[in-house]
Amino acid sequence: MKCVFCRIVEGSERAVKVYEDDLCIAIMDIAPVNRGHLLVIPKRHYETIFEMPLKEASHVFGVACLMAKAVKNAVGAEGVNILQNNGRAAWQHILHVHIHVIPRWTQDKLDVYWPASLSDFNELEGVASIIKNEVARLKSEVNALG
């Protein structure tokens, strides 16, 4: 059975569309956190962004930026969260890439727990070095594909 977002894309599942192009759609979230909460969804099925071609991911995230501007103005939000989860550990519940565009107000009920603490610069530099090496490897793979 196809996932709910694939059914929405093919038109067999009901959704309220806000935007559509050749690569993605934007729909109102059926269980919104705040008024105007919507989802940007690639038409092709990918469980996570790790499977998406970079060019397609760039397009979908660009549409999310456009939707954020539109939603903020349309509902008079004070701010907007753009949230995209990959994998169960990251709170992904529907295994089809989707980007939440959530309008925010200072006094809304949405609370995000962020248990951050200051880090040591040596630790940051060590992790950054590992990430930079991985970025270089991934870029060379993309370049090799043309």
Side-chain angles (χ1 to χ4, degrees):
M1 185 172 176
K2 293 181 180 177
C3 81
V4 65
F5 291 155
C6 287
R7 294 192 309 270
I8 288 170
V9 166
E10 73 183 14
S12 64
E13 185 85 25
R14 186 175 178 193
V16 178
K17 287 184 189 174
V18 175
Y19 174 87
E20 182 171 11
D21 64 27
D22 291 342
L23 297 178
C24 67
I25 62 172
I27 63 171
M28 300 305 298
D29 193 307
I30 197 166
V33 172
N34 281 331
R35 182 173 176 264
H37 180 175
L38 60 79
L39 305 172
V40 179
I41 305 164
K43 288 184 172 181
R44 290 189 58 198
H45 182 89
Y46 304 100
E47 282 194 11
T48 68
I49 62 169
F50 309 122
E51 292 95 38
M52 287 185 80
L54 288 178
K55 188 171 184 177
E56 190 171 349
S58 295
H59 176 82
V60 173
F61 276 88
V63 169
C65 183
L66 174 68
M67 293 300 107
K69 291 175 184 180
V71 166
K72 183 178 184 296
N73 293 338
V75 299
E78 296 171 28
V80 174
N81 283 124
I82 296 176
L83 179 65
Q84 201 282 314
N85 306 323
N86 293 281
R88 299 273 186 211
W91 311 327
Q92 184 180 11
H93 298 289
I94 298 174
L95 298 178
H96 184 127
V97 170
H98 56 289
I99 303 167
H100 293 264
V101 178
I102 307 169
R104 297 299 308 273
W105 289 268
T106 305
Q107 300 301 320
D108 67 21
K109 303 270 192 239
L110 181 57
D111 188 25
V112 178
Y113 176 66
W114 198 288
S117 59
L118 290 177
S119 188
D120 174 287
F121 273 97
N122 290 329
E123 171 67 16
L124 294 174
E125 289 171 353
V127 174
S129 177
I130 296 167
I131 294 170
K132 287 176 186 179
N133 289 338
E134 187 62 13
V135 168
R137 185 187 70 77
L138 290 169
K139 282 180 72 174
S140 69
E141 283 182 13
V142 169
N143 292 336
L145 295 174

